[in-house]
Amino acid sequence: MTGRLKTPLLGPFLAPQPGPKMLGPNERLDTRMRRYPHHQEVDVVVVGVGAAGGVLVQRLARFGLSVVGFDAGPFWDVERDWVSDEKGSHKLYWNTLRITGGPNPITLGANNSGKGVGGGTVHFAAFTPRFHPSDFMEHTLDGVGVDWPFRYETLKPYYAMIEREMPVAGPARYPWGDPHGYPYGPLESGEYANLLVRGCSRLGIRAVAGGPIAINSGAYGDRPHCIFRGFCLQGCKVAAKASTLYTHVPDGIANGAEIRDRCMVSRINLGKDGLVNGVTYLDPDLKEREQKAKVVLVCGYAIETPRLLLMSSCPGHENGLANSSGLVGRYLMVQSANVVMGRFPGLIRQYKAPPANACTEEFYETDHTRDFARGFSIQTVGPLPCTFAKEMLAAKGAWGWGMRKVMMDYNHWAAFGLLGEILPHEDNRIDLSDEKDEYSLPAPRIRFELHENDKKMIAWAVPRIEEIMRAAGAEETAQEPRYAHLIGGCRMGVDRQTSVTDQFGRTHDIPNLFCCDGSICPTQGAANPALTIQALAARTADYLIAQRDLVLQKKKAPLDEPPMRPDLSPPGTLTRGVPPRLNKRRR
Amino acid sequence: MAEHLPINPRTGEPLPPRPQPGYYPDFSTLDQQAFWDAATREVVLKRVTDIPPIRFFAHDPALATALFDRILPQDDRDPDHRIPILNYVDERLSEGVSDGYRYAEAPSDAECYHLGLRGVESIAQSLHGTSFIQLGSREQDEIILSLRDNSPPAGEEIWSRFPAVNFFELLVTDAVDAYYAHPYAWDEIGFGGPSYPRGYMRLENGLAEPWEADEQRYDWEPPPTSLSGSYQPLAGLIPEHARRRQGGTH
Ligand SMILES: Cc1cc2nc3c(=O)[nH]c(=O)nc-3n(C[C@H](O)[C@H](O)[C@H](O)COP(=O)(O)OP(=O)(O)OC[C@H]3O[C@@H](n4cnc5c(N)ncnc54)[C@H](O)[C@@H]3O)c2cc1C
Ligand code: SF4
């Protein structure tokens, strides 16, 4: 410290006074949360209050069902718990033991999954593109992967709805996939976004800046606009970046939902009738407790959802619940997410502004002049110093004086990320290891291997990104191989032999057990998944509500497309922003 | 010791240690602490003032110290402004802070350190007949390079349990996670640091905020005795061995 302390006009910023939780600087969680007695059977238990779980809790509670949402992590008090600091944000990630292996082991923890109310939306970068229509039928079109049990048009109105609930900022016209516009104007760009646009433009590649990202470009209710502090991946203290923690969960609580945080669900319980009757969980003191429910929705994401089904094996379900297909835990996917870094003569200061800003989807679709199927996107990323140093270790082998030297040039570097589709393969999977995690539960074991198409795509894509970086003016490039975005593990489908759930996430085997989160996606295209995951959740909520009479009696309901319930959106969200065009659903 | 100091490439003269190396002289993130939110201020100040004690490495801190002095040298910093890397690494290991995963068949991080330090010592003994800490910096760097290249000349029974290059990655990862989390390092590289609730307003062209500093470059080169100044990517296009503790990106 140099003794030159500068002070704001009104003195240093004080910690919030004792009182209700603060979800950002303005949003105070002051509704009393309803508590359901442990012996009372509730309508629905939601396991995992993340991207999908947050939306489900909100919708079902607003409709009037009794809902308890469990999350293994804390219910964050954003003002008190989160910090503008990389190292101090370690607690946001899923840090209990997982074993990663196979020929191309994926890194987990900070690079993959969150823990706590809001789940992955707490620390996601908030890129929120839609999947392309072709993603829903890639087997029909390209003979690879698998088709979804429905088409893009089925999800389209839900995309439009969630884009308003988050809300998503972006260009007035987004040219790729099903071209559409965004309800809020593009967000101001950091310098690296300018570089992506410049590099692409010089090569005749279309690019956009300012979205689609779920970050407020203007104040939205009690959520302020982005202040460009650049710590999106450490949780947005400003509450400018959408997380179900602020967008959906408070409305759920106001409507009578209970959130039991720091409660790890360890087993789904089955009654003598072969139906699910609730869950067993470890409370914050690791004491085992039970909660009865008519319906259980598992929303723990691509590793924890299949893991929970596998851990719930019991007589008659020796291989895990809902696993008659043997596919629980299989077809796990990530996306190839190599980061290409470029050094520029001028200053960039890549720590300013949200990492997510500009992108191109010009290479998204299958192109028969290339030697692989499907495609990829290119997006801006903005690594902070610790992350960037580790990227330099991988990309340049930097250490010692070399590390010190390249890091002194931190402000001269920009980074673009690949987001390439990895095709589903049965042998990429999670199962249970013999080791125990910190909860004394069997630690999940992940096996991952890149296949031919994936490798060819990476080999083709990385040089394209380097070209763009150089066209933007970089004098040197370096790249780090990595992966992003888990998906799959309990995939949905029409055929019970080849999938775990139906198109609404209901398990084929047990009519009152649903999975609804990233784990049910059969493929993930070359788009970031959170928007799609939340759209799926809103649709499953509509289904549960439409079929509540049968579902709550634990009976198998027909697979009819439910009527959309815009009245269940968080209040006011659908009427803000650019007026929506009527989104007619086509089947 | 002059031979440990970076040099001015034009004169060949060693550059004297300074309180703050890097191209942003006088820039101080800590000076801005009153503009940070209280939670962030507490975490960052605690890191600076409340240095964790050595526990994990307590039985032999000298070897680990010598190793980290080469993995991320700080000879260009005056002794009052060095960042206690070993203490932070020690804290992580003694508190068993986990990253949420382990590679199949790999020992735990604590075990890796126990094995790795023994392995490094056995290389030093077999090549030079003495301990790593007695060696000159060039010899020490040579040993580290043999880890990076996964071709350690001794200690086979150790490296058969986990690859030498993984120990190299673990060392560098831990060193940079400690070093670049420290405000002194932020000042060195011109990173603005915490910025809530104030935020940033000059987003384009790498412009400085009113409270940030402009870059003032100077030429320097690593000390002639060191081998860590050149670069060689760790993996080809396809990762053969994943890296520890990748932060998230997108
Ligand atoms: C660094 C990073 C950047 C990302 N950037 C983007 C991006 O820009 N755009 C994008 O679309 N996606 C992004 N993602 C991915 C995105 O965060 C996830 O795809 C998404 O959050 C998954 O949603 P989910 O509902 O399936 O699960 P999650 O949001 O992960 O929620 C699962 C929740 O379940 C809880 N849980 C799990 N098991 C149990 C149990 N047994 N008992 C109790 N609780 C349990 C967990 O604690 C967690 O809170 C990013 C991810 C990371 C790590
Ligand atoms: S850059 Fe914007 S969205 Fe990201 S954390 Fe800061 S204020 Fe939130």
Side-chain angles (χ1 to χ4, degrees):
Chain A
M1 245 170 286
T2 56
R4 293 164 305 175
L5 282 188
K6 316 284 187 299
T7 38
L9 235 46
L10 301 174
F13 296 102
L14 301 175
Q17 297 304 303
K21 273 189 208 303
M22 294 295 288
L23 304 181
N26 303 338
E27 191 175 354
R28 187 187 294 272
L29 190 71
D30 38 19
T31 22
R32 270 280 280 290
M33 188 159 74
R34 174 150 185 196
R35 298 277 176 191
Y36 291 93
H38 281 83
H39 55 266
Q40 185 186 331
E41 182 186 52
V42 294
D43 292 331
V44 184
V45 152
V46 175
V47 182
V49 188
V55 171
L56 280 155
V57 163
Q58 182 269 331
R59 291 277 197 295
L60 300 177
R62 179 159 270 276
F63 178 74
L65 301 185
S66 52
V67 185
V68 177
F70 285 91
D71 206 286
F75 195 143
W76 301 110
D77 181 324
V78 170
E79 271 293 289
R80 296 175 180 89
D81 296 344
W82 294 357
V83 290
S84 304
D85 183 62
E86 273 184 283
K87 186 174 179 173
S89 302
H90 188 69
K91 58 188 178 220
L92 301 183
Y93 313 117
W94 189 280
N95 291 323
T96 53
L97 181 66
R98 291 164 166 173
I99 314 286
T100 183
N104 307 97
I106 53 179
T107 53
L108 298 162
N111 191 37
N112 265 314
S113 25
K115 183 175 187 174
V117 176
T121 62
V122 163
H123 57 71
F124 79 151
F127 267 120
T128 39
R130 299 180 184 182
F131 285 8
H132 286 200
S134 66
D135 288 323
F136 295 78
M137 46 192 303
E138 64 180 35
H139 193 259
T140 303
L141 293 174
D142 298 321
V144 296
V146 63
D147 284 4
W148 285 45
F150 49 83
R151 294 284 180 258
Y152 169 81
E153 285 68 25
T154 305
L155 216 50
K156 175 173 175 161
Y158 286 100
Y159 275 140
M161 183 189 258
I162 296 290
E163 281 165 357
R164 270 163 201 287
E165 293 181 17
M166 286 176 150
V168 180
R173 187 184 153 81
Y174 192 69
W176 299 286
D178 173 26
H180 60 283
Y182 287 97
Y184 277 78
L187 192 73
E188 242 185 289
S189 316
E191 184 60 17
Y192 42 86
N194 292 346
L195 294 174
L196 181 73
V197 174
R198 186 189 304 159
C200 284
S201 307
R202 286 192 177 147
L203 297 172
I205 300 164
R206 290 182 298 176
V208 299
I213 43 181
I215 299 180
N216 291 347
S217 48
Y220 189 83
D222 44 16
R223 293 171 48 212
H225 63 71
C226 173
I227 62 166
F228 307 102
R229 71 193 251 277
F231 282 93
C232 301
L233 272 55
Q234 286 67 34
C236 180
K237 284 198 79 137
V238 182
K241 187 192 73 174
S243 162
T244 53
L245 176 63
Y246 355 90
T247 57
H248 289 80
V249 172
D251 189 51
I253 291 175
N255 285 288
E258 177 183 348
I259 307 292
R260 260 177 233 166
D261 65 330
R262 294 176 297 130
C263 289
M264 172 76 179
V265 175
S266 55
R267 155 176 289 276
I268 301 163
N269 299 322
L270 210 65
K272 291 208 178 65
D273 53 4
L275 296 167
V276 161
N277 63 21
V279 296
T280 299
Y281 65 96
L282 301 168
D283 76 4
D285 302 321
L286 299 182
K287 249 216 254 67
E288 210 170 79
R289 291 176 178 277
E290 212 186 313
Q291 175 65 52
K292 297 258 184 237
K294 293 178 184 148
V295 177
V296 173
L297 289 172
V298 190
C299 310
Y301 203 15
I303 293 178
E304 295 308 319
T305 290
R307 177 190 182 206
L308 184 57
L309 297 185
L310 295 174
M311 288 194 303
S312 303
S313 58
C314 58
H317 296 265
E318 280 75 11
N319 299 325
L321 285 191
N323 198 15
S324 64
S325 62
L327 295 183
V328 169
R330 293 191 179 269
Y331 297 106
L332 186 76
M333 282 158 277
V334 281
Q335 287 165 323
S336 48
N338 300 52
V339 168
V340 172
M341 289 153 284
R343 190 194 183 282
F344 291 79
L347 287 177
I348 314 292
R349 296 191 190 258
Q350 57 179 333
Y351 55 88
K352 290 187 191 185
N357 192 292
C359 68
T360 174
E361 294 185 0
E362 206 71 352
F363 304 100
Y364 197 109
E365 300 286 336
T366 296
D367 172 347
H368 295 289
T369 66
R370 308 190 295 225
D371 63 346
F372 55 88
R374 307 305 300 153
F376 58 92
S377 306
I378 304 171
Q379 304 178 330
T380 50
V381 293
L384 294 177
C386 292
T387 301
F388 186 72
K390 286 177 274 187
E391 288 176 332
M392 282 290 140
L393 162 65
K396 283 171 71 85
W399 66 285
W401 289 106
M403 178 66 84
R404 291 282 312 283
K405 191 155 199 156
V406 73
M407 286 301 290
M408 282 192 196
D409 281 349
Y410 172 69
N411 281 345
H412 285 266
W413 288 80
F416 302 157
L418 165 70
L419 204 61
E421 175 163 359
I422 284 181
L423 295 173
H425 286 278
E426 200 177 338
D427 57 354
N428 286 336
R429 64 178 298 195
I430 88 130
D431 62 4
L432 302 180
S433 73
D434 303 330
E435 290 184 62
K436 297 276 190 275
D437 74 355
E438 287 78 345
Y439 293 104
S440 302
L441 298 170
R445 180 171 61 186
I446 292 97
R447 177 198 183 277
F448 186 73
E449 177 175 13
L450 285 175
H451 290 76
E452 252 345 272
N453 197 72
D454 316 325
K455 291 182 190 171
K456 282 181 179 162
M457 186 188 298
I458 297 170
W460 197 89
V462 169
R464 295 292 89 68
I465 308 177
E466 286 167 344
E467 259 167 44
I468 294 170
M469 196 59 102
R470 287 190 187 274
E475 50 195 11
E476 177 195 345
T477 62
Q479 72 99 18
E480 180 207 26
R482 62 157 67 220
Y483 309 102
H485 305 152
L486 293 159
I487 225 83
C490 286
R491 73 175 183 185
M492 58 178 160
V494 179
D495 180 353
R496 56 184 306 141
Q497 308 284 323
T498 58
S499 59
V500 177
T501 80
D502 65 29
Q503 54 157 311
F504 296 108
R506 174 175 48 200
T507 57
H508 292 305
D509 297 353
I510 304 174
N512 67 337
L513 175 61
F514 286 69
C515 302
C516 187
D517 57 12
S519 73
I520 65 173
C521 298
T523 60
Q524 76 171 326
N528 321 55
L531 177 79
T532 301
I533 291 170
Q534 293 193 36
L536 286 172
R539 178 170 171 265
T540 289
D542 284 351
Y543 177 77
L544 286 167
I545 287 163
Q547 300 290 353
R548 63 190 173 279
D549 291 341
L550 290 171
V551 172
L552 292 179
Q553 286 174 34
K554 311 185 177 183
K555 297 218 172 87
K556 189 141 196 165
L559 283 174
D560 301 338
E561 194 66 31
M564 256 185 107
R565 297 292 303 256
D567 55 317
L568 297 180
S569 285
T573 51
L574 296 192
T575 52
R576 295 196 202 131
V578 177
R581 273 195 325 191
L582 279 182
N583 283 297
K584 284 261 165 54
R585 186 201 314 243
R586 277 181 287 137
R587 291 269 166 79
Chain B
M1 283 181 293
E3 79 264 22
H4 288 284
L5 292 175
I7 55 166
N8 177 337
R10 260 168 293 157
T11 62
E13 289 298 312
L15 292 166
R18 38 181 110 197
Q20 183 172 321
Y23 313 137
Y24 303 86
D26 297 332
F27 173 55
S28 165
T29 42
L30 282 177
D31 278 357
Q32 300 295 325
Q33 57 181 273
F35 292 87
W36 305 344
D37 67 278
T40 301
R41 192 161 51 226
E42 188 185 325
V43 164
V44 175
L45 292 186
K46 182 166 184 290
R47 187 173 303 149
V48 177
T49 55
D50 194 359
I51 292 163
I54 299 289
R55 288 172 284 171
F56 181 85
F57 295 109
H59 64 284
D60 184 12
L63 177 56
T65 305
L67 201 51
F68 279 112
D69 280 349
R70 302 312 306 160
I71 289 290
L72 210 57
Q74 304 188 54
D75 307 273
D76 55 344
R77 289 184 162 274
D78 75 23
D80 286 345
H81 291 89
R82 296 208 175 134
I83 297 172
I85 295 177
L86 189 69
N87 299 64
Y88 300 118
V89 180
D90 189 300
E91 181 185 35
R92 184 178 87 76
L93 293 168
S94 42
E95 287 174 11
V97 177
S98 149
D99 304 324
Y101 60 101
R102 217 188 59 225
Y103 293 99
E105 275 129 57
S108 70
D109 283 355
E111 185 67 10
C112 286
Y113 270 98
H114 288 311
L115 290 169
L117 291 175
R118 259 175 49 212
V120 165
E121 207 43 22
S122 72
I123 300 174
Q125 289 292 349
S126 106
L127 291 184
H128 306 285
T130 179
S131 168
F132 183 84
I133 58 177
Q134 304 295 337
L135 299 175
S137 48
R138 174 164 295 257
E139 289 72 29
Q140 291 181 333
D141 278 4
E142 272 165 5
I143 292 179
I144 295 170
L145 279 181
S146 79
L147 303 179
R148 182 197 73 183
D149 298 337
N150 213 16
S151 54
E156 235 167 273
E157 77 341 307
I158 289 171
W159 308 119
S160 66
R161 297 183 49 196
F162 86 121
V165 60
N166 283 10
F167 187 49
F168 171 78
E169 287 176 326
L170 183 60
L171 288 168
V172 182
T173 305
D174 271 335
V176 299
D177 266 346
Y179 189 88
Y180 292 104
H182 198 285
Y184 293 169
W186 301 341
D187 302 342
E188 168 183 326
I189 66 175
F191 167 58
S195 54
Y196 168 77
R198 171 171 49 189
Y200 291 114
M201 59 181 183
R202 304 180 88 198
L203 307 183
E204 298 184 72
N205 294 316
L207 290 173
E209 305 293 315
W211 48 273
E212 290 183 314
D214 288 322
E215 189 186 45
Q216 294 176 40
R217 295 186 76 84
Y218 57 88
D219 282 339
W220 66 274
E221 264 167 23
T225 53
S226 87
L227 296 173
S228 61
S230 60
Y231 301 102
Q232 187 185 328
L234 276 193
L237 199 54
I238 308 300
E240 294 104 29
H241 45 84
R243 261 147 306 279
R244 286 159 196 278
R245 285 217 297 296
Q246 276 178 326
T249 48
H250 53 311

